[in-house]
Structures are given as structure tokens and as C-alpha cells.
mmCIF file of all heavy atoms in Angstrom:
data_model
loop_
_atom_site.group_PDB
_atom_site.id
_atom_site.type_symbol
_atom_site.label_atom_id
_atom_site.label_comp_id
_atom_site.label_asym_id
_atom_site.label_seq_id
_atom_site.Cartn_x
_atom_site.Cartn_y
_atom_site.Cartn_z
ATOM 1 N N LEU A 1 -50.600 27.263 -133.904
ATOM 2 C CA LEU A 1 -49.516 27.408 -134.891
ATOM 3 C C LEU A 1 -48.237 26.701 -134.441
ATOM 4 O O LEU A 1 -47.138 27.083 -134.844
ATOM 5 C CB LEU A 1 -49.229 28.900 -135.124
ATOM 6 C CG LEU A 1 -50.387 29.743 -135.642
ATOM 7 C CD1 LEU A 1 -49.964 31.205 -135.768
ATOM 8 C CD2 LEU A 1 -50.890 29.220 -136.979
ATOM 9 N N SER A 2 -48.362 25.673 -133.619
ATOM 10 C CA SER A 2 -47.171 25.003 -133.077
ATOM 11 C C SER A 2 -46.262 24.392 -134.148
ATOM 12 O O SER A 2 -45.033 24.431 -133.996
ATOM 13 C CB SER A 2 -47.580 23.935 -132.064
ATOM 14 O OG SER A 2 -48.437 22.978 -132.642
ATOM 15 N N PRO A 3 -46.782 23.817 -135.262
ATOM 16 C CA PRO A 3 -45.855 23.298 -136.283
ATOM 17 C C PRO A 3 -44.980 24.400 -136.879
ATOM 18 O O PRO A 3 -43.798 24.180 -137.155
ATOM 19 C CB PRO A 3 -46.799 22.706 -137.336
ATOM 20 C CG PRO A 3 -48.060 22.419 -136.612
ATOM 21 C CD PRO A 3 -48.186 23.526 -135.606
ATOM 22 N N LEU A 4 -45.568 25.574 -137.062
ATOM 23 C CA LEU A 4 -44.801 26.708 -137.595
ATOM 24 C C LEU A 4 -43.711 27.112 -136.624
ATOM 25 O O LEU A 4 -42.565 27.368 -137.020
ATOM 26 C CB LEU A 4 -45.747 27.880 -137.862
ATOM 27 C CG LEU A 4 -45.140 29.131 -138.505
ATOM 28 C CD1 LEU A 4 -44.598 28.801 -139.886
ATOM 29 C CD2 LEU A 4 -46.186 30.229 -138.596
ATOM 30 N N ALA A 5 -44.048 27.166 -135.341
ATOM 31 C CA ALA A 5 -43.054 27.533 -134.327
ATOM 32 C C ALA A 5 -41.940 26.504 -134.253
ATOM 33 O O ALA A 5 -40.773 26.847 -134.045
ATOM 34 C CB ALA A 5 -43.730 27.663 -132.960
ATOM 35 N N GLY A 6 -42.281 25.239 -134.455
ATOM 36 C CA GLY A 6 -41.279 24.186 -134.379
ATOM 37 C C GLY A 6 -40.278 24.225 -135.510
ATOM 38 O O GLY A 6 -39.189 23.653 -135.400
ATOM 39 N N MET A 7 -40.614 24.877 -136.604
ATOM 40 C CA MET A 7 -39.698 24.957 -137.745
ATOM 41 C C MET A 7 -38.639 26.034 -137.576
ATOM 42 O O MET A 7 -37.623 26.019 -138.274
ATOM 43 C CB MET A 7 -40.493 25.243 -139.023
ATOM 44 C CG MET A 7 -41.182 24.043 -139.625
ATOM 45 S SD MET A 7 -41.777 24.410 -141.295
ATOM 46 C CE MET A 7 -42.986 25.669 -140.969
ATOM 47 N N VAL A 8 -38.859 26.995 -136.694
ATOM 48 C CA VAL A 8 -37.947 28.139 -136.583
ATOM 49 C C VAL A 8 -36.622 27.691 -135.978
ATOM 50 O O VAL A 8 -36.572 27.214 -134.847
ATOM 51 C CB VAL A 8 -38.567 29.246 -135.715
ATOM 52 C CG1 VAL A 8 -37.587 30.397 -135.535
ATOM 53 C CG2 VAL A 8 -39.872 29.747 -136.334
ATOM 54 N N PRO A 9 -35.501 27.833 -136.711
ATOM 55 C CA PRO A 9 -34.197 27.417 -136.171
ATOM 56 C C PRO A 9 -33.648 28.427 -135.178
ATOM 57 O O PRO A 9 -34.060 29.600 -135.168
ATOM 58 C CB PRO A 9 -33.319 27.358 -137.430
ATOM 59 C CG PRO A 9 -33.929 28.361 -138.359
ATOM 60 C CD PRO A 9 -35.415 28.326 -138.086
ATOM 61 N N GLY A 10 -32.724 27.988 -134.347
ATOM 62 C CA GLY A 10 -32.160 28.857 -133.317
ATOM 63 C C GLY A 10 -31.500 30.100 -133.867
ATOM 64 O O GLY A 10 -31.592 31.179 -133.266
ATOM 65 N N TYR A 11 -30.828 29.980 -135.009
ATOM 66 C CA TYR A 11 -30.124 31.149 -135.541
ATOM 67 C C TYR A 11 -31.095 32.201 -136.063
ATOM 68 O O TYR A 11 -30.742 33.370 -136.207
ATOM 69 C CB TYR A 11 -29.111 30.756 -136.621
ATOM 70 C CG TYR A 11 -29.616 29.777 -137.666
ATOM 71 C CD1 TYR A 11 -30.459 30.181 -138.690
ATOM 72 C CD2 TYR A 11 -29.222 28.449 -137.636
ATOM 73 C CE1 TYR A 11 -30.908 29.297 -139.657
ATOM 74 C CE2 TYR A 11 -29.670 27.541 -138.592
ATOM 75 C CZ TYR A 11 -30.507 27.961 -139.603
ATOM 76 O OH TYR A 11 -30.947 27.080 -140.547
ATOM 77 N N ALA A 12 -32.343 31.806 -136.353
ATOM 78 C CA ALA A 12 -33.333 32.796 -136.793
ATOM 79 C C ALA A 12 -33.768 33.683 -135.640
ATOM 80 O O ALA A 12 -34.137 34.839 -135.844
ATOM 81 C CB ALA A 12 -34.553 32.091 -137.392
ATOM 82 N N THR A 13 -33.731 33.153 -134.425
ATOM 83 C CA THR A 13 -34.111 33.952 -133.258
ATOM 84 C C THR A 13 -32.914 34.647 -132.614
ATOM 85 O O THR A 13 -33.094 35.546 -131.792
ATOM 86 C CB THR A 13 -34.786 33.064 -132.201
ATOM 87 O OG1 THR A 13 -33.890 32.042 -131.774
ATOM 88 C CG2 THR A 13 -36.044 32.422 -132.758
ATOM 89 N N ALA A 14 -31.696 34.241 -132.981
ATOM 90 C CA ALA A 14 -30.498 34.878 -132.419
ATOM 91 C C ALA A 14 -30.449 36.358 -132.786
ATOM 92 O O ALA A 14 -30.036 37.199 -131.980
ATOM 93 C CB ALA A 14 -29.234 34.168 -132.916
ATOM 94 N N GLY A 15 -30.881 36.686 -133.996
ATOM 95 C CA GLY A 15 -30.902 38.087 -134.406
ATOM 96 C C GLY A 15 -31.829 38.910 -133.549
ATOM 97 O O GLY A 15 -31.537 40.071 -133.235
ATOM 98 N N ALA A 16 -32.965 38.308 -133.141
ATOM 99 C CA ALA A 16 -33.908 39.018 -132.270
ATOM 100 C C ALA A 16 -33.275 39.319 -130.918
ATOM 101 O O ALA A 16 -33.452 40.404 -130.358
ATOM 102 C CB ALA A 16 -35.173 38.191 -132.087
ATOM 103 N N LEU A 17 -32.522 38.365 -130.382
ATOM 104 C CA LEU A 17 -31.846 38.583 -129.101
ATOM 105 C C LEU A 17 -30.850 39.729 -129.206
ATOM 106 O O LEU A 17 -30.769 40.594 -128.326
ATOM 107 C CB LEU A 17 -31.128 37.313 -128.653
ATOM 108 C CG LEU A 17 -31.994 36.133 -128.209
ATOM 109 C CD1 LEU A 17 -31.110 34.946 -127.841
ATOM 110 C CD2 LEU A 17 -32.870 36.512 -127.035
ATOM 111 N N MET A 18 -30.080 39.736 -130.288
ATOM 112 C CA MET A 18 -29.072 40.787 -130.445
ATOM 113 C C MET A 18 -29.726 42.153 -130.707
ATOM 114 O O MET A 18 -29.201 43.186 -130.294
ATOM 115 C CB MET A 18 -28.104 40.410 -131.571
ATOM 116 C CG MET A 18 -27.194 39.234 -131.191
ATOM 117 S SD MET A 18 -25.949 38.839 -132.437
ATOM 118 C CE MET A 18 -26.912 37.853 -133.591
ATOM 119 N N TYR A 19 -30.876 42.146 -131.361
ATOM 120 C CA TYR A 19 -31.613 43.391 -131.585
ATOM 121 C C TYR A 19 -32.114 43.964 -130.261
ATOM 122 O O TYR A 19 -31.986 45.168 -130.000
ATOM 123 C CB TYR A 19 -32.785 43.132 -132.529
ATOM 124 C CG TYR A 19 -33.774 44.275 -132.613
ATOM 125 C CD1 TYR A 19 -33.407 45.495 -133.170
ATOM 126 C CD2 TYR A 19 -35.072 44.125 -132.144
ATOM 127 C CE1 TYR A 19 -34.313 46.540 -133.260
ATOM 128 C CE2 TYR A 19 -35.986 45.164 -132.232
ATOM 129 C CZ TYR A 19 -35.599 46.373 -132.791
ATOM 130 O OH TYR A 19 -36.492 47.408 -132.863
ATOM 131 N N VAL A 20 -32.676 43.112 -129.408
ATOM 132 C CA VAL A 20 -33.110 43.565 -128.088
ATOM 133 C C VAL A 20 -31.913 44.107 -127.312
ATOM 134 O O VAL A 20 -32.023 45.095 -126.577
ATOM 135 C CB VAL A 20 -33.783 42.419 -127.313
ATOM 136 C CG1 VAL A 20 -34.113 42.843 -125.885
ATOM 137 C CG2 VAL A 20 -35.071 41.982 -128.014
ATOM 138 N N ALA A 21 -30.747 43.479 -127.498
ATOM 139 C CA ALA A 21 -29.532 43.957 -126.837
ATOM 140 C C ALA A 21 -29.180 45.378 -127.282
ATOM 141 O O ALA A 21 -28.771 46.216 -126.461
ATOM 142 C CB ALA A 21 -28.372 43.014 -127.149
ATOM 143 N N VAL A 22 -29.350 45.661 -128.559
ATOM 144 C CA VAL A 22 -29.081 47.007 -129.073
ATOM 145 C C VAL A 22 -29.988 48.025 -128.390
ATOM 146 O O VAL A 22 -29.552 49.095 -127.949
ATOM 147 C CB VAL A 22 -29.278 47.058 -130.601
ATOM 148 C CG1 VAL A 22 -29.193 48.497 -131.108
ATOM 149 C CG2 VAL A 22 -28.235 46.201 -131.306
ATOM 150 N N LEU A 23 -31.272 47.679 -128.282
ATOM 151 C CA LEU A 23 -32.232 48.594 -127.663
ATOM 152 C C LEU A 23 -31.912 48.832 -126.191
ATOM 153 O O LEU A 23 -31.993 49.958 -125.696
ATOM 154 C CB LEU A 23 -33.647 48.037 -127.798
ATOM 155 C CG LEU A 23 -34.195 47.842 -129.221
ATOM 156 C CD1 LEU A 23 -35.618 47.297 -129.161
ATOM 157 C CD2 LEU A 23 -34.154 49.152 -129.997
ATOM 158 N N MET A 24 -31.533 47.768 -125.484
ATOM 159 C CA MET A 24 -31.317 47.881 -124.042
ATOM 160 C C MET A 24 -30.008 48.600 -123.716
ATOM 161 O O MET A 24 -29.943 49.392 -122.776
ATOM 162 C CB MET A 24 -31.350 46.500 -123.395
ATOM 163 C CG MET A 24 -32.698 45.809 -123.534
ATOM 164 S SD MET A 24 -32.815 44.220 -122.687
ATOM 165 C CE MET A 24 -33.062 44.769 -120.995
ATOM 166 N N THR A 25 -28.972 48.344 -124.468
ATOM 167 C CA THR A 25 -27.700 49.003 -124.186
ATOM 168 C C THR A 25 -27.719 50.479 -124.566
ATOM 169 O O THR A 25 -26.882 51.255 -124.100
ATOM 170 C CB THR A 25 -26.528 48.307 -124.917
ATOM 171 O OG1 THR A 25 -26.841 48.184 -126.310
ATOM 172 C CG2 THR A 25 -26.270 46.934 -124.343
ATOM 173 N N SER A 26 -28.693 50.883 -125.380
ATOM 174 C CA SER A 26 -28.781 52.301 -125.755
ATOM 175 C C SER A 26 -29.100 53.179 -124.547
ATOM 176 O O SER A 26 -28.901 54.394 -124.597
ATOM 177 C CB SER A 26 -29.850 52.498 -126.835
ATOM 178 O OG SER A 26 -31.144 52.195 -126.336
ATOM 179 N N SER A 27 -29.561 52.573 -123.456
ATOM 180 C CA SER A 27 -29.858 53.346 -122.247
ATOM 181 C C SER A 27 -28.603 54.003 -121.671
ATOM 182 O O SER A 27 -28.690 54.983 -120.927
ATOM 183 C CB SER A 27 -30.493 52.448 -121.179
ATOM 184 O OG SER A 27 -29.594 51.436 -120.757
ATOM 185 N N LEU A 28 -27.436 53.473 -122.020
ATOM 186 C CA LEU A 28 -26.181 54.049 -121.522
ATOM 187 C C LEU A 28 -25.988 55.484 -122.012
ATOM 188 O O LEU A 28 -25.225 56.254 -121.421
ATOM 189 C CB LEU A 28 -24.991 53.192 -121.967
ATOM 190 C CG LEU A 28 -24.883 51.804 -121.322
ATOM 191 C CD1 LEU A 28 -23.788 50.993 -121.989
ATOM 192 C CD2 LEU A 28 -24.601 51.930 -119.825
ATOM 193 N N GLY A 29 -26.683 55.849 -123.074
ATOM 194 C CA GLY A 29 -26.554 57.200 -123.613
ATOM 195 C C GLY A 29 -27.086 58.279 -122.688
ATOM 196 O O GLY A 29 -26.715 59.453 -122.826
ATOM 197 N N SER A 30 -27.937 57.893 -121.722
ATOM 198 C CA SER A 30 -28.496 58.883 -120.804
ATOM 199 C C SER A 30 -27.673 59.037 -119.523
ATOM 200 O O SER A 30 -28.069 59.768 -118.618
ATOM 201 C CB SER A 30 -29.937 58.494 -120.442
ATOM 202 O OG SER A 30 -29.974 57.235 -119.786
ATOM 203 N N MET A 31 -26.530 58.366 -119.454
ATOM 204 C CA MET A 31 -25.682 58.460 -118.268
ATOM 205 C C MET A 31 -24.870 59.754 -118.253
ATOM 206 O O MET A 31 -24.486 60.269 -119.296
ATOM 207 C CB MET A 31 -24.706 57.278 -118.209
ATOM 208 C CG MET A 31 -25.152 56.134 -117.322
ATOM 209 S SD MET A 31 -25.436 56.633 -115.623
ATOM 210 C CE MET A 31 -23.807 57.201 -115.159
ATOM 211 N N GLU A 32 -24.615 60.261 -117.040
ATOM 212 C CA GLU A 32 -23.724 61.405 -116.859
ATOM 213 C C GLU A 32 -22.327 60.838 -116.588
ATOM 214 O O GLU A 32 -21.932 60.587 -115.449
ATOM 215 C CB GLU A 32 -24.203 62.255 -115.671
ATOM 216 C CG GLU A 32 -23.350 63.490 -115.425
ATOM 217 C CD GLU A 32 -23.214 64.376 -116.641
ATOM 218 O OE1 GLU A 32 -24.242 64.857 -117.140
ATOM 219 O OE2 GLU A 32 -22.057 64.559 -117.103
#
């Protein structure tokens, strides 16, 4: 599926990065 992958623009994956950031920073909620 390499042609399909080549069409994906950078800004389409930027949301995925920021979503992962939301999940990872939520760990701060378990801090004392």
C-alpha cells in the first residue's frame, strides 16, 4: 500500500501526534 502511504500529508499525521500527547500527559493525574 505504499502509494496510499505516500499521499498522506504531514498535517494529517500531526493530529495523531497530538492525540498520543494527550494520552501520555494524562499520566500526570496519578501524581501525588
Side-chain angles (χ1 to χ4, degrees):
L1 300 178
S2 58
L4 184 63
M7 281 192 296
V8 177
Y11 46 76
T13 60
L17 290 178
M18 290 185 279
Y19 168 67
V20 174
V22 172
L23 298 181
M24 297 184 79
T25 52
S26 65
S27 64
L28 291 172
S30 61
M31 263 302 298
E32 181 55 60

